[in-house]
Amino acid sequence: MAEASFTPRVFSGIQPSGDLHLGNYLGAIRRFVEMQATGVETVYCMVDLHAITVWQDPADLARSTRTLCAGFLAAGIDPEKSILINQSQVPEHAQLAWIFNCVARMGWMQRMTQFKDKVGKNAQNASLGLFAYPALMAADILIYHATHVPVGEDQKQHVELTRDIAAKFNHDYGVEFFPMTKPVIEGAATRVMSLRDGAKKMSKSDPSDASRINMMDDAGTIAKKIRRAKTDPDALPSEADGLEERPEARNLVNIYAGLNDQTVDQVLAEMGGRQFSEFKPMLADLAVSKLAPISTEMTRLLDDPGEIDRILASGAQRARAITAPILARTYEIVGMVGPV
Ligand code: AQP
């Protein structure tokens, strides 16, 4: 069968499940802005249906969704250039997810490391939605026939599963309907780690606020968190090899490189030999200079939640012009009887 060709289109999403942090910014949002600048069609989503796979207080969910939207806008997502939506307003995501629940195999889902990490020994108590999360994520991507998905390193396995689902659907129904989406994992900080433990990723759901830098943290809080970040007693090395076996030091250097648009080698060429007592204040200044304008703009945008809701409503309308025909064709391929 001839390989179908798909127009390049970018999709990615973030959960409104808490405060946006530096990992989300460097691993995802920065890339979103870069991809928007390439002129390719870009769709960015607040994945509220994913957020409720673990309990969310309704008022907090609504607040987090608007705050996340403000974060996207403040970081440079332009709602005229990109389609900006919250997932629940585009029902085709959930409708395609059901089809994919019937395509994905239990064994595939059981291999997902994020599910295993999140539930630990408590799998019996996890929601069915948390287990099915990667099938909904596949639907989020494929309902747009997205060809590229900018994500942090932690989402690589889920994008691979998306390709498996697309391939099985295409094979089972004898079509070349869904594309083989590529993950785009780029930059010096594709996996920002906790400031308290270099073996754990920086995460919204970490109970310790000191483990992460939130986008809305003020300058004093950012400086304090970086000052208290776990490190080792040695000076910074002059080359990247010297960061092996030093996860906390590597993390701070990666963050510096990510924020300053440098490679790790460039940072170490400048900083090699410095003690953390000297490097940490430099990192704090850099973080504040990059994040303060974003948080100031977020605060301004959040003063007018009605405008945020209008942007999301208009995004949903534009999104559905793409998703409704793709869902209709999927139903037709599967054999669902509908209006002719
Ligand atoms: N620490 C990180 N480093 C680099 N990228 C990261 N991302 C998340 N954490 C890091 C990227 O941000 C995007 C959105 O992620 P998400 O919030 O939807 O889900 P997540 O990966 O589960 O993020 P959290 O913070 O860990 O949320 P909770 O704690 O709620 O599970 C993705 O592209 C992700 O790769």
Side-chain angles (χ1 to χ4, degrees):
M1 195 176 306
E3 179 77 16
S5 73
F6 293 91
T7 312
R9 184 179 285 144
V10 170
F11 173 90
S12 199
I14 297 189
Q15 297 183 70
S17 52
D19 292 328
L20 209 51
H21 56 74
L22 188 64
N24 298 136
Y25 178 61
L26 292 176
I29 297 184
R30 279 274 291 267
R31 304 277 88 76
F32 298 177
V33 177
E34 283 168 14
M35 298 195 104
Q36 174 184 261
T38 64
V40 170
E41 188 168 26
T42 42
V43 184
Y44 297 125
C45 187
M46 281 119 262
V47 287
D48 46 12
L49 297 174
H50 284 286
I52 61 163
T53 54
V54 297
W55 167 251
Q56 303 293 329
D57 174 82
D60 288 345
L61 178 63
R63 197 175 316 110
S64 293
T65 302
R66 294 195 179 100
T67 307
L68 179 53
C69 185
F72 276 120
L73 296 167
I77 299 300
D78 176 348
E80 300 293 321
K81 291 189 184 144
S82 294
I83 297 178
L84 205 51
I85 49 165
N86 58 319
Q87 188 186 25
S88 56
Q89 298 311 300
V90 183
E92 290 80 11
H93 288 236
Q95 289 173 288
L96 184 62
W98 180 257
I99 305 274
F100 287 171
N101 281 344
C102 303
V103 173
R105 305 290 91 183
M106 289 290 285
W108 301 358
M109 308 301 272
Q110 276 159 349
R111 283 197 290 276
M112 294 297 110
T113 54
Q114 191 179 74
F115 177 76
K116 288 191 268 190
D117 290 348
K118 281 199 172 172
V119 298
K121 293 192 171 66
N122 231 351
Q124 293 303 311
N125 231 356
S127 73
L128 183 56
L130 189 64
F131 185 69
Y133 180 122
L136 175 57
M137 178 165 158
D140 297 334
I141 295 166
L142 293 173
I143 197 66
Y144 295 92
H145 279 183
T147 53
H148 295 83
V149 184
V151 279
E153 182 70 41
D154 59 316
Q155 290 295 334
K156 190 168 174 221
Q157 193 186 33
H158 289 165
V159 183
E160 282 162 2
L161 184 94
T162 298
R163 294 160 65 95
D164 290 342
I165 289 177
K168 181 162 165 56
F169 181 98
N170 288 346
H171 175 266
D172 289 354
Y173 291 102
V175 290
E176 282 296 323
F177 186 59
F178 289 115
M180 292 296 123
T181 309
K182 292 189 179 64
V184 181
I185 302 171
E186 285 173 353
T190 54
R191 189 170 174 82
V192 178
M193 308 309 280
S194 156
L195 298 179
R196 309 301 303 164
D197 177 353
K200 267 170 62 183
K201 78 163 185 153
M202 187 178 283
S203 164
K204 296 189 209 86
S205 54
D206 192 316
S208 163
D209 189 59
S211 70
R212 64 183 160 263
I213 294 175
N214 301 306
M215 297 299 290
M216 299 285 271
D217 281 345
D218 60 34
T221 307
I222 293 176
K224 190 163 91 189
K225 285 179 177 175
I226 292 179
R227 197 167 57 241
R228 293 192 180 162
K230 190 174 166 203
T231 41
D232 55 44
D234 296 336
L236 284 175
S238 303
E239 281 168 19
D241 285 357
L243 292 172
E244 265 170 47
E245 314 294 328
R246 298 179 65 188
E248 283 87 11
R250 187 173 56 221
N251 188 36
L252 295 188
V253 172
N254 284 349
I255 292 175
Y256 192 100
L259 284 170
N260 218 20
D261 277 324
Q262 287 181 299
T263 63
V264 166
D265 288 325
Q266 285 168 331
V267 174
L268 293 178
E270 269 171 53
M271 301 288 172
R274 287 181 205 257
Q275 297 293 333
F276 279 103
S277 54
E278 215 183 329
F279 178 66
K280 280 180 168 179
M282 295 172 81
L283 176 58
D285 286 348
L286 176 65
V288 169
S289 74
K290 299 285 179 180
L291 301 184
I294 299 176
S295 70
T296 306
E297 178 63 1
M298 284 173 77
T299 308
R300 191 190 69 76
L301 290 163
L302 286 167
D303 267 353
D304 187 358
E307 177 58 14
I308 290 182
D309 294 0
R310 275 189 291 280
I311 288 171
L312 292 178
S314 142
Q317 223 175 6
R318 286 166 63 201
R320 295 197 73 190
I322 302 171
T323 58
I326 291 178
L327 184 76
R329 177 69 189 127
T330 309
Y331 276 1
E332 196 180 26
I333 290 169
V334 171
M336 307 284 183
V337 175
V340 280

